[in-house]
Structures are given as structure tokens and as C-alpha cells.
Amino acid sequence: MIKNILDVFREYFLILKLKILSIVHKTPPAIWNIGEKQALIIPGFGGNWYCLKQIGDVLNRKGYKIIPVKNLVHGTLSIEESVNRVKNLIDKNDLKNFVIVAHSKGGIIAKELLLLPDYERRINKAICIAVPFGGSVFGKLKVFNLEEIEPGSKLLVRQNAITSVNSKIVNIYPSLDNHVIPNKNLTIKGAINIKLDIVGHTRILFSKSIKKEIEKVT
């Protein structure tokens, strides 16, 4: 219990650190533009591309060109507007047979793309990390479009009623997530669900375990 509490404190220290570093590091590495395969990175609520930099680096070393979604206003836009912006980026880059890596709310956006036949057929796999597929109590705050991820929201009910595309999802989540409450809402039927022994909604992105899993599934 004490370790979990300390890990949650480390989680919020990491979030603060990322806020500062993301101001300094505004441009993705130039090397991300090189790769025979393609990976689209979708950050979650409160985050940006830099939060997924270490995972992007892993994929880049494996031969992926990394295309980060950078215009989601820190995940505060509605799902519909977010999906439209991601669709535009996919079309602009003519992405085909590509991999999505999505964190948190970004995974809800990824599922919406999978539910669109014209885009689903272009997506090879969606790696979703710490995603509130079943919602989170933080949705009750009803600010910055968070009500869309409230448990039982129309959007989530509609998404979860369709499981046929879930076989394309690799769902990786921490053993204790301080932002997805209850934690049972981190799993999704029909996907490959992988629980890591990590505490923290954001800390999971920087763990050795997540890098090993990314290596395995890509």
C-alpha cells in the first residue's frame, strides 16, 4: 500500500516534469521521418506527442516512420473533432497498413477510427495504452469534453457494443491506474489484454515493461 502511494506521487511528479519538458521539446526528432513502415501516435488527455517519445523511439529503431498527432489541443477536443483531425492527417500522409499507438483518450479515438470501414482496413494494429474503454469517474467532471468518457456515456456504450474490430487492438494497461477509475474499465472484450505490474496512468509510458511489449507486438 505504501509503495502504491509513493508511486502515485511519482506519477504526478512525472506529469509535472513532462509539462515542462514538452515546452522545451516542441519538435519531434528528425529521425522520426525515416522508416519503411509507418506508426501514428495519438496522445491522451492533457498530453502531447512528447509523452510518447520513448515509445516512438522504440518503434523508430524498428524501422517505423513516426507520425505524431499534434493538433488535439492536449486532448481537450471532442472525440468527433479529434477523429476528424486524425483522419485528415491519415489522408494527408496517405497512410496504409500502419500501426496506431495511442495513450488514454487517444485509445478511444483509435477505436472510433477502427469503426470506420474506410480507415479500419488501412489500420494494421492499434496498440492502446492505459485507455478508459469502460470510462472513468473523472468523466463526471464534465469539463473539456471529459463527459464523453464517463462510464455509461452514449459514446462508450456504442463503442463497446461493437467488438468485431477489437481483434486489431493490443490493450496494455497498468496494475493500478490513478486516472482510470474503476480499474476494471481498462480492459476490452475481444482484444489482446496485457496487464503490466506498473502503478501510474503516465508512468507506464516510461517503463521498461512497456518497451518490451512494444518490441514484441510490432
Side-chain angles (χ1 to χ4, degrees):
M1 176 63 75
I2 294 176
K3 182 181 182 302
N4 287 347
I5 293 172
L6 289 174
D7 283 340
V8 170
F9 275 112
R10 293 184 183 106
E11 162 84 0
Y12 287 110
F13 177 77
L14 173 61
I15 291 173
L16 177 60
K17 178 181 176 181
L18 288 172
K19 293 290 186 185
I20 297 171
L21 289 175
S22 64
I23 294 173
V24 178
H25 301 280
K26 294 183 178 181
T27 306
I31 196 171
W32 276 16
N33 293 314
I34 302 172
E36 296 182 358
K37 298 175 284 187
Q38 298 167 318
L40 185 73
I41 286 182
I42 309 177
F45 181 81
N48 61 12
W49 71 270
Y50 189 77
C51 296
L52 288 156
K53 183 183 181 299
Q54 290 195 16
I55 291 174
D57 288 342
V58 171
L59 289 169
N60 188 232
R61 287 193 292 269
K62 293 195 68 176
Y64 284 87
K65 176 182 179 180
I66 311 299
I67 301 99
V69 181
K70 298 184 288 185
N71 62 345
L72 299 183
V73 195
H74 296 282
T76 59
L77 300 175
S78 69
I79 297 295
E80 181 179 10
E81 176 61 24
S82 299
V83 170
N84 286 335
R85 293 190 180 198
V86 177
K87 284 165 55 180
N88 289 337
L89 186 61
I90 292 171
D91 295 339
K92 179 181 177 181
N93 289 273
D94 192 27
L95 300 184
K96 297 173 183 175
N97 194 34
F98 65 99
V99 169
I100 290 176
V101 178
H103 177 237
S104 188
K105 183 180 174 180
I108 305 299
I109 297 167
K111 175 69 186 276
E112 282 291 285
L113 291 167
L114 287 171
L115 294 175
L116 300 172
D118 288 346
Y119 291 89
E120 184 272 333
R121 65 174 61 98
R122 297 163 69 176
I123 299 169
N124 177 271
K125 182 181 298 182
I127 302 170
C128 296
I129 305 168
V131 176
F133 286 111
S136 172
V137 296
F138 282 99
K140 294 183 181 296
L141 294 175
K142 302 186 187 301
V143 293
F144 302 119
N145 294 295
L146 281 174
E147 64 273 11
E148 292 183 311
I149 62 165
E150 182 179 358
S153 72
K154 290 182 179 179
L155 185 146
L156 294 182
V157 169
R158 173 176 55 77
Q159 278 200 357
N160 290 318
I162 305 172
T163 60
S164 57
V165 299
N166 291 359
S167 58
K168 284 195 170 185
I169 297 175
V170 177
N171 180 40
I172 308 174
Y173 59 97
S175 56
L176 178 61
D177 192 311
N178 52 300
H179 286 167
V180 181
I181 302 171
N183 281 189
K184 66 179 182 180
N185 290 347
L186 288 160
T187 60
I188 181 171
K189 184 178 180 181
I192 298 174
N193 290 286
I194 302 171
K195 181 167 73 171
L196 301 183
D197 186 20
I198 300 291
V199 173
H201 185 71
T202 304
R203 289 180 76 234
I204 188 174
L205 299 175
F206 296 86
S207 67
K208 292 181 180 178
S209 299
I210 193 71
K211 295 173 188 176
K212 289 179 180 178
E213 292 299 331
I214 296 295
E215 288 275 5
K216 289 178 186 177
V217 302
T218 55

